[in-house]
Amino acid sequence: TPSLAAALIIEALELNPLESLEGMSKCYEGIVAAGSAILDLNLDVDTSKHDNASGSRTDPSRKNGNGNGNRRPTQKEILAAITPLLITTLEKDAGDAILALAKLRSLCGTKRYQRRFIQRIAPSLVRPPNASIWCLRHQNDMEPIFAAVELILSHASTSIFGTVMGTDWYERGRTLLADSQCAESLKAA
C-alpha cells in the first residue's frame, strides 16, 4: 500500500545523518529558492484573483507586487531552472529514487493524499547540508521545500528525469557538467 511504502521510504531517507540521497544536500539552496519562487507565484495569483473578485482593478505595472515592473518567473521557468541543478548534482541512484517517489505519489488517489504524501516525504528528502533534520533552518524553509518537492515529483518523469531525444537524464546531466567545465577552462585561457 502507498502508506506502508511511504513509511519505509521515510525510514530509509533518515538512515544517513548527513543527507537523504547522495547529492541532495548540494541542491538544498536551489530547491528552497525554487520553492520560494513558487510560493510567491501562487501568492500573486491568489492576490489577483481576490482583487478581481472584489471588483478592484489590478495595476498592470504591479507584476511582482513591488511595483518596479519586474515580472515573476512562471512555473515552467522555475522548472527549467531547477532541472539542470538536479540532473548535474544527483547521482543516478538518487535520481532513480526520486523517479520511484514520483511513481508512488501518482498512486495516491486524490490531490489531498498527494499533498499529504509530499508533507511526509519532503522533510526527510530535502535537508540542509551538514545539519540535522528539523533544525531551525530546516523548519523555517519547510513551506518552500513542500512547494519545490511537489513541483519536482509532479514533473519528475516528464521534464526533469525523463528522456529527451533518446538520452537518459543522467547522460544529459554529465554532458551539461562537462560543457560547463569546458566553458570555464576556455574563459580561464
Side-chain angles (χ1 to χ4, degrees):
T1 64
S3 60
L4 178 61
L8 290 173
I9 289 170
I10 289 171
E11 289 299 318
L13 291 174
E14 292 177 355
L15 283 177
N16 185 351
L18 298 178
E19 61 185 348
S20 56
L21 298 172
E22 191 172 346
M24 280 301 282
S25 64
K26 296 175 190 170
C27 301
Y28 183 80
E29 294 294 330
I31 290 172
V32 170
S36 296
I38 292 166
L39 291 175
D40 289 345
L41 181 68
N42 291 342
L43 181 66
D44 285 348
V45 169
D46 291 343
T47 303
S48 67
K49 284 181 183 177
H50 177 15
D51 288 346
N52 290 338
S54 65
S56 66
R57 301 182 86 189
T58 306
D59 181 12
S61 66
R62 192 181 151 248
K63 293 184 181 176
N64 69 350
N66 61 8
N68 66 2
N70 293 336
R71 65 177 193 83
R72 298 243 187 230
T74 63
Q75 186 173 356
K76 190 174 182 179
E77 292 170 338
I78 295 168
L79 188 62
I82 202 169
T83 297
L85 172 70
L86 292 171
I87 67 173
T88 58
T89 308
L90 295 180
E91 293 298 321
K92 181 146 180 62
D93 293 336
D96 292 341
I98 290 177
L99 277 171
L101 286 172
K103 288 178 186 173
L104 186 60
R105 179 183 174 265
S106 68
L107 292 176
C108 297
T110 63
K111 292 284 186 188
R112 178 181 177 206
Y113 288 121
Q114 289 178 354
R115 244 188 336 270
R116 287 179 68 192
F117 180 79
I118 295 293
Q119 290 171 346
R120 295 185 88 190
I121 294 293
S124 300
L125 184 64
V126 181
R127 294 189 252 166
N130 300 322
S132 65
I133 193 167
W134 292 113
C135 65
L136 187 58
R137 179 180 179 197
H138 196 223
Q139 290 177 24
N140 290 338
D141 293 337
M142 199 46 58
E143 287 301 317
I145 289 171
F146 288 156
V149 169
E150 185 173 3
L151 179 73
I152 291 168
L153 292 183
S154 63
H155 295 284
S157 61
T158 55
S159 302
I160 300 175
F161 297 109
T163 58
V164 176
M165 296 188 304
T167 59
D168 188 35
W169 71 268
Y170 187 72
E171 294 171 15
R172 250 186 22 223
R174 296 303 145 226
T175 303
L176 277 174
L177 200 56
D179 289 347
S180 66
Q181 289 172 348
C182 182
E184 286 178 16
S185 64
L186 286 175
K187 280 184 180 179

